[in-house]
Amino acid sequence: MHNPIDTPFNFRHICWFCGEPSGEAVCFPSDEIDFESISHDPISIPSCTECYQISLKINALSVDELRREVKDKIILKYQKELGIGANWTEIELQESDFDCAALSGFRQSAWSMYLIAKERVNFSGWELCIDSLPLDFQYETNSFEFDGLQFKDVSSAIIHYVKIFSLDKQLLTESVDILGVDKFAQAVKFCRLNPVESNRERNALIEDLLFSIEDEHDNRKL
């Protein structure tokens, strides 16, 4: 039996995963054979239809992993909307010269579309409790935040920016490894400025990046 989680008054009829209106309930774990693998009672979580459908395709070992995977699928599904915020500012959209009817409509609605998608991705839900007692489970600590978006990890962020900016995945991955996660923005910028059409070009760019890092270190020692 799955126990409904406590829902604060201000979150009535709200999806725990993304903040949209709820109409479904996600049962975790979904199979009775998994009941003994969790450290808390089986639970029922209010969910919107979209997050519910996504959750059915996820085999998670914890409710936190389930939440993170659902968020990741939302990011993948709404990449175009989230890409608006990466490519434009609100002022740039307002001042853009979109004359035809279709593009004029985009100018008027694009920023709202971006904000809605962003809010769904970043919605943090509320503490999971049953009868006012918090559930006993561990939260993952390798989540990653960049440009106002919460990703389940760095790899998820790399996939997102590779797709919205049409970047070379291997180049971005190696650039992040070389520069460090704290310089993710610099790695993205480097890849945007250096489109790759062959393995030879990619290898040359990586060598140049490594050389620039070594040269910077040497200059600091002087």
Side-chain angles (χ1 to χ4, degrees):
M1 178 179 179
H2 293 79
N3 299 303
I5 63 170
D6 298 347
T7 302
F9 183 82
N10 56 316
F11 288 119
R12 292 176 304 159
H13 314 302
I14 292 296
C15 174
W16 181 76
F17 297 95
C18 74
E20 288 286 290
S22 64
E24 303 284 351
V26 172
C27 292
F28 180 84
S30 58
D31 196 323
E32 289 187 8
I33 63 174
D34 296 325
F35 284 10
E36 294 183 0
S37 66
I38 59 176
S39 58
H40 54 78
D41 292 335
I43 57 175
S44 174
I45 307 169
S47 169
C48 66
T49 300
E50 186 170 28
C51 289
Y52 172 76
Q53 293 293 338
I54 292 173
S55 73
L56 295 177
K57 302 176 183 179
I58 297 173
N59 294 317
L61 299 178
S62 72
V63 66
D64 185 54
E65 181 184 358
L66 176 63
R67 178 187 64 83
R68 283 150 48 86
E69 291 296 331
V70 168
K71 296 279 193 180
D72 194 52
K73 298 299 185 295
I74 291 176
I75 290 175
L76 289 173
K77 185 171 183 178
Y78 293 99
Q79 280 183 335
K80 289 183 179 179
E81 289 80 359
L82 293 170
I84 292 169
N87 288 288
W88 302 80
T89 66
E90 185 176 11
I91 294 177
E92 286 173 341
L93 280 172
Q94 292 173 350
E95 296 178 346
S96 59
D97 296 326
F98 293 149
D99 296 327
C100 70
L103 292 180
S104 177
F106 172 79
R107 179 181 60 190
Q108 295 173 7
S109 63
W111 195 252
S112 295
M113 292 163 55
Y114 160 67
L115 290 179
I116 290 171
K118 179 181 177 182
E119 288 172 2
R120 292 187 69 190
V121 170
N122 291 342
F123 184 73
S124 59
W126 57 91
E127 184 179 18
L128 294 178
C129 300
I130 297 178
D131 296 330
S132 300
L133 297 176
L135 296 191
D136 178 21
F137 69 93
Q138 296 292 322
Y139 286 94
E140 296 291 337
T141 58
N142 60 340
S143 59
F144 178 67
E145 181 177 351
F146 179 74
D147 200 22
L149 287 177
Q150 294 279 351
F151 298 91
K152 69 173 184 178
D153 51 33
V154 176
S155 295
S156 178
I158 288 174
I159 291 172
H160 177 67
Y161 287 98
V162 162
K163 291 189 175 182
I164 66 173
F165 291 138
S166 298
L167 306 178
D168 183 84
K169 182 179 179 181
Q170 184 175 339
L171 180 61
L172 180 56
T173 300
E174 295 196 34
S175 298
V176 172
D177 289 341
I178 294 170
L179 295 170
V181 176
D182 59 322
K183 294 185 178 179
F184 191 88
Q186 185 176 335
V188 170
K189 183 177 181 180
F190 174 76
C191 293
R192 294 187 70 183
L193 292 173
N194 296 282
V196 170
E197 296 184 1
S198 67
N199 290 335
R200 182 177 180 179
E201 288 183 355
R202 182 191 305 111
N203 293 337
L205 287 169
I206 292 172
E207 289 182 7
D208 288 344
L209 184 59
L210 285 169
F211 178 80
S212 66
I213 295 298
E214 293 175 359
D215 188 52
E216 182 180 346
H217 288 168
D218 291 340
N219 290 334
R220 288 178 179 176
K221 293 178 182 179
L222 297 178

